[in-house]
Amino acid sequence: MIETKDLRFRYSDTLPFVLEGLNVTIKRGSFVAILGHNGSGKSTFAKHLNAILLPSGGKVLVDGMDTVDEDRLYDIRQHVGMVFQNPDNQIVATLVEEDVAFGPENLGVPQKEIRVRVDEALRAVGMYDFRDRATYQLSGGQKQRVAIAGIIAMRPRCVVLDEPTAMLDPVGRREVMRAIHDMNRTLGITVVLITHHMNEAVDADRVLVIDHGKLLLDGTPREVFSQAETLYRADLAVPQPVELIYALRRDGVDIPGDVLTVDECAEALYHLLKSRTNTRG
Amino acid sequence: MLKDISLGQYIPGTSVIHRMDPRLKIVLTLAYIVVLFMAKGPLSYGLVLLTLGLIIVLSRIGVRFVLRSVRPLLFIILFTAVLNMFHVDGDVLWSWWILKITRQGIETAIYMALRIAMLISGTFVLLNYTTSPIMLTDGIEQLLGPLKRIHVPVHELAMMMTIALRFIPTLIEETDKIMSAQKARGADFETGNVIRRAKALIPMLVPLFVSAFRRADELAVAMECRCYRGSEGRTRLRTLKLQGLDYVAIAIAAVLAAGIITLGVVLP
């Protein structure tokens, strides 16, 4: 669905490259998390996926359309929607449903169809009951869900979310993550989630780690997080269970290293402690 | 508190006045103002008052709110009235030095005060109280539609108004936050003379403006991501259409206007 070929980018000819030759293919319907610490180039990468930024070198193809092709610009932007960090700065209208309708209105969708899409999109993120509320009265998590609904109403094939939970409290974060997973599962929309919360990446199909504009790791969450050392070197944290097991193994404790979730971690520790009592007794 | 400003003075409701087409309300308000200035003599003024009363009753706003709209302008109304009282020639009732009050002067003063009060309360009930800001901008955009032909950027202006309305609460919230932050570090916004207090506002305005520009930039990118490209090929979730209710309103308004003009211009 999206393919980048040797994608290179710099903001001006005199500045160093922010992206240094990225080759990434994102499959339709997948849930891809992109990790990287501040300044790694992950947001810059995201902005290439719907032609907000154009490559300085290499290519970005969206369903075969080159993002440099200006004639296909609006097709590309309709196919690849984008949700940003600050919900306040991406809501255009005063009323929830008016805001969700903004995208379809721009696409010239007939009036009756807009109504259908707005209702569908609001139901998909669980905000239907708030459709005639003023947007400023909503909580951060609710605003961000409205922003996601605004993109869903454009019927995109892929949604890129650039740290959508960074400004939210834990409750809002949970709400938004649930909405994102629902969108991926029930609507089959490809999700590209840019984040620096490790726990949000754990549930992805695939995790990419970008460091200094290069692809550092690429694989399933289990594969990526088993490389704790590499992640630490890229100034990234790892999920807490992984961190604990890593520290234990480093200190010479004999425990399996492929632990990812809290449950698995508890299981591994249980077995460890049990075997110890057995040998002692 | 500060947040309440955001929706203007719109009082949500479902009365017939609320449900009227905003375009019609704007036109009728203009007609009301014109007719108001054509009224003359107690009979036509009485009919205007009756019209206003009808609007207020139908809008279910409550007289208290209507009077509240007039209160800030009470001084100007009284000032105009008093000025008129002394300036009109006619049968002198009282005089002292160069000041004199005439019977006609008092009459003019009363009419003038009534006219301003009715002007304000009428427009407030029809537009501010019963029309949401979104409806108002929609109405203005469509009414000014014909100006597109002479290249007036009507859609862009309406979009700017919508965005401004949308960001008022956001920026007010931010102002609150910055003020608290500055106060926490010892800033003093309350004491001193006017100049001192104005100076104290500068460290508050700078971050506010910087953040407003940053917001504008992010909003523009977000709008581009949602395929915004001006009014070209754009459809709307809601379109305005005159309904039965609106035609009834037009008919009533026409009869009342004819009555007021006849009583005001022909009879007195």
Side-chain angles (χ1 to χ4, degrees):
Chain A
M1 131 123 258
I2 298 178
E3 207 183 341
T4 70
K5 288 179 183 164
D6 192 34
L7 170 61
R8 299 166 72 79
F9 178 78
R10 53 182 167 183
Y11 282 95
S12 91
D13 291 343
T14 51
L15 291 169
F17 280 98
V18 183
L19 300 177
E20 303 185 38
L22 286 172
N23 289 294
V24 174
T25 308
I26 291 162
K27 268 194 249 141
R28 171 156 307 170
S30 59
F31 191 119
V32 179
I34 298 183
L35 295 175
H37 71 95
N38 291 337
S40 60
K42 59 187 195 301
S43 287
T44 312
F45 174 71
K47 287 191 178 121
H48 278 86
L49 302 181
N50 70 345
I52 294 295
L53 293 176
L54 298 173
S56 313
K59 257 187 186 174
V60 180
L61 297 175
V62 175
D63 274 336
M65 298 178 279
D66 193 327
T67 54
V68 184
D69 186 355
E70 269 192 44
D71 296 337
R72 309 303 294 276
L73 183 65
Y74 292 106
D75 284 336
I76 292 168
R77 294 218 173 124
Q78 193 215 324
H79 280 171
V80 182
M82 195 139 177
V83 174
F84 296 91
Q85 190 179 87
N86 189 338
D88 271 326
N89 296 354
Q90 49 188 323
I91 287 175
V92 182
T94 344
L95 286 183
V96 169
E97 63 175 12
E98 298 250 345
D99 186 72
V100 177
F102 183 74
E105 285 178 343
N106 291 333
L107 295 172
V109 173
Q111 194 174 17
K112 267 191 193 151
E113 170 81 13
I114 297 183
R115 185 79 257 168
V116 175
R117 287 191 185 194
V118 168
D119 290 352
E120 258 176 30
L122 281 170
R123 281 204 183 92
V125 297
M127 288 295 289
Y128 184 71
D129 293 337
F130 294 85
R131 62 190 179 282
D132 46 14
R133 293 279 191 86
T135 44
Y136 77 89
Q137 290 171 324
L138 304 176
S139 71
Q142 290 172 329
K143 279 182 199 164
Q144 199 61 293
R145 275 147 72 201
V146 169
I148 292 171
I151 298 297
I152 293 179
M154 292 171 72
R155 301 252 164 98
R157 304 213 178 123
C158 173
V159 175
V160 180
L161 303 107
D162 191 353
E163 301 197 31
T165 62
M167 302 187 74
L168 306 179
D169 57 16
V171 177
R173 194 168 290 165
R174 255 199 310 276
E175 289 170 4
V176 168
M177 283 313 293
R178 197 184 308 133
I180 296 171
H181 278 286
D182 283 353
M183 168 171 83
N184 177 245
R185 251 176 254 132
T186 54
L187 301 175
I189 296 174
T190 313
V191 170
V192 177
L193 175 70
I194 295 175
T195 179
H196 55 228
H197 285 284
M198 298 303 133
N199 344 350
E200 290 175 2
V202 168
D203 298 325
D205 300 333
R206 185 172 158 213
V207 178
L208 304 178
V209 180
I210 294 181
D211 187 43
H212 292 102
K214 290 190 192 114
L215 199 58
L216 189 66
L217 293 168
D218 176 358
T220 61
R222 199 171 295 276
E223 287 163 5
V224 167
F225 290 124
S226 62
Q227 320 232 15
E229 205 132 343
T230 319
L231 288 169
Y232 284 135
R233 253 185 283 130
D235 276 340
L236 284 168
V238 295
Q240 280 170 348
V242 178
E243 191 176 356
L244 174 61
I245 300 294
Y246 173 78
L248 287 171
R249 280 170 68 91
R250 196 185 47 202
D251 293 348
V253 179
D254 177 32
I255 194 165
D258 64 337
V259 164
L260 190 58
T261 64
V262 175
D263 284 347
E264 287 170 6
C265 179
E267 186 80 5
L269 289 173
Y270 173 74
H271 281 294
L272 176 76
L273 295 172
K274 205 174 169 191
S275 64
R276 285 199 170 177
T277 34
N278 284 348
T279 44
R280 215 175 284 163
Chain B
M1 33 150 259
L2 272 169
K3 272 187 176 178
D4 298 335
I5 309 169
S6 56
L7 285 181
Q9 286 138 319
Y10 176 58
I11 303 165
T14 53
S15 77
V16 284
I17 304 281
H18 281 88
R19 293 201 312 263
M20 268 165 63
D21 190 309
R23 292 171 300 173
L24 182 64
K25 276 197 267 190
I26 295 169
V27 172
L28 287 185
T29 308
L30 292 175
Y32 171 80
I33 295 170
V34 171
V35 169
L36 182 58
F37 278 90
M38 291 170 80
K40 215 174 180 190
L43 278 178
S44 62
Y45 264 89
L47 200 52
V48 177
L49 203 59
L50 199 73
T51 311
L52 182 61
L54 185 71
I55 296 169
I56 295 173
V57 170
L58 284 178
S59 69
R60 303 209 207 117
I61 291 294
V63 182
R64 212 161 45 90
F65 260 103
V66 181
L67 290 179
R68 197 184 289 178
S69 67
V70 182
R71 200 163 51 194
L73 289 161
L74 210 59
F75 174 74
I76 292 177
I77 294 173
L78 284 177
F79 185 74
T80 321
V82 171
L83 217 62
N84 269 290
M85 202 153 72
F86 289 110
H87 266 277
V88 179
D89 291 323
D91 317 329
V92 177
L93 295 179
W94 175 88
S95 75
W96 174 75
W97 192 35
I98 53 165
L99 299 174
K100 62 179 190 315
I101 294 179
T102 63
R103 194 174 57 78
Q104 285 83 347
I106 292 179
E107 250 171 46
T108 319
I110 291 171
Y111 281 134
M112 193 58 89
L114 265 177
R115 182 175 282 169
I116 299 175
M118 289 197 292
L119 177 81
I120 294 160
S121 45
T123 46
F124 264 72
V125 173
L126 272 174
L127 294 181
N128 288 27
Y129 287 158
T130 61
T131 318
S132 73
I134 309 166
M135 294 289 265
L136 209 56
T137 36
D138 268 9
I140 293 171
E141 178 177 358
Q142 296 211 10
L143 279 178
L144 297 181
L147 290 180
K148 272 182 201 162
R149 266 182 228 148
I150 54 167
H151 302 295
V152 178
V154 176
H155 166 77
E156 285 73 9
L157 288 174
M159 181 55 80
M160 275 159 60
M161 272 165 74
T162 311
I163 292 174
L165 285 167
R166 144 79 185 80
F167 272 90
I168 289 170
T170 311
L171 291 181
I172 287 176
E173 212 177 85
E174 183 140 41
T175 314
D176 263 2
K177 236 183 256 170
I178 297 171
M179 264 176 112
S180 309
Q182 306 279 28
K183 272 186 198 160
R185 282 176 279 162
D188 180 6
F189 295 108
E190 270 110 28
T191 56
N193 57 25
V194 182
I195 297 168
R196 221 188 134 126
R197 268 191 282 177
K199 266 190 184 162
L201 283 180
I202 294 173
M204 197 196 76
L205 288 176
V206 172
L208 188 66
F209 269 82
V210 171
S211 112
F213 279 111
R214 205 192 53 236
R215 283 178 192 281
D217 187 42
E218 280 181 27
L219 182 72
V221 174
M223 284 170 76
E224 270 186 25
C225 283
R226 292 164 81 181
C227 295
Y228 180 69
R229 53 195 128 169
S231 59
E232 196 187 328
R234 198 163 193 269
T235 47
R236 298 304 308 267
L237 170 65
R238 264 191 272 260
T239 42
L240 300 172
K241 217 176 145 203
L242 291 183
Q243 292 162 334
L245 167 74
D246 297 311
Y247 292 110
V248 175
I250 294 173
I252 295 174
V255 172
L256 285 170
I260 295 164
I261 294 171
T262 319
L263 291 175
V265 179
V266 188
L267 284 185

